[in-house]
Amino acid sequence: MENQITTEPEYKDLMARIETYLQRATQQGGFTSLLPDEANELAQLSRVAEAYEDSIPMMPIRQPQTLVEMIEYKMYEKKLKQRDMARLLEIPETRLSEVLSGKRKINLDLAKRLYTQLNISADFILKAA
């Protein structure tokens, strides 16, 4: 049995073999119904599949490029609505709305709050402001 796979077709074949063992175990009442050699092969196949999956680079997450994008990302990350974000930053909702819509620039006080409350790096704030 191979110890490494490198292509999508090999992965699909491997997963089909794993599925065969899983189906058999399910039909026979659990993994204890597999013969010791089958259980060992299933474990080895699973390790090979996991190694292949770990080798595939994940789709890169688009990094926020603007301060508005960063604030919106932090809102998403913290699962906050705009109202809740304004409370967290201790600013009026209208001010946050104006910042997010591009109608208002941030001031030093808000920059400090973004840094302390949201952990947005000072470098990013300075470059994006």
Side-chain angles (χ1 to χ4, degrees), residues 23-62:
Q23 289 293 328
R24 187 176 320 142
T26 301
Q27 292 168 355
Q28 296 175 356
F31 290 105
T32 56
S33 64
L34 293 176
L35 298 172
D37 287 346
E38 293 174 327
N40 288 338
E41 184 173 5
L42 176 58
Q44 177 61 27
L45 292 173
S46 297
R47 284 191 290 274
V48 172
E50 184 178 10
Y52 175 74
E53 290 165 354
D54 289 345
S55 74
I56 299 171
M58 304 249 329
M59 180 189 303
I61 297 174
R62 185 176 175 277

Side-chain angles (χ1 to χ4, degrees), residues 12-96:
K12 288 181 179 180
D13 290 342
L14 182 73
M15 292 307 291
R17 289 171 55 193
I18 290 173
E19 183 62 28
T20 301
Y21 283 122
L22 295 177
Q23 289 293 328
R24 187 176 320 142
T26 301
Q27 292 168 355
Q28 296 175 356
F31 290 105
T32 56
S33 64
L34 293 176
L35 298 172
D37 287 346
E38 293 174 327
N40 288 338
E41 184 173 5
L42 176 58
Q44 177 61 27
L45 292 173
S46 297
R47 284 191 290 274
V48 172
E50 184 178 10
Y52 175 74
E53 290 165 354
D54 289 345
S55 74
I56 299 171
M58 304 249 329
M59 180 189 303
I61 297 174
R62 185 176 175 277
Q63 295 299 314
Q65 301 297 309
T66 66
L67 200 48
V68 170
E69 288 176 359
M70 181 61 82
I71 295 169
E72 289 172 342
Y73 172 74
K74 293 293 186 173
M75 286 172 55
Y76 171 78
E77 185 178 68
K78 295 178 178 296
K79 298 179 175 88
L80 297 174
K81 293 184 174 19
Q82 193 168 314
R83 174 182 317 132
D84 302 321
M85 178 61 80
R87 277 192 210 124
L88 177 69
L89 295 172
E90 300 174 4
I91 61 172
E93 292 175 46
T94 53
R95 181 177 301 157
L96 180 59

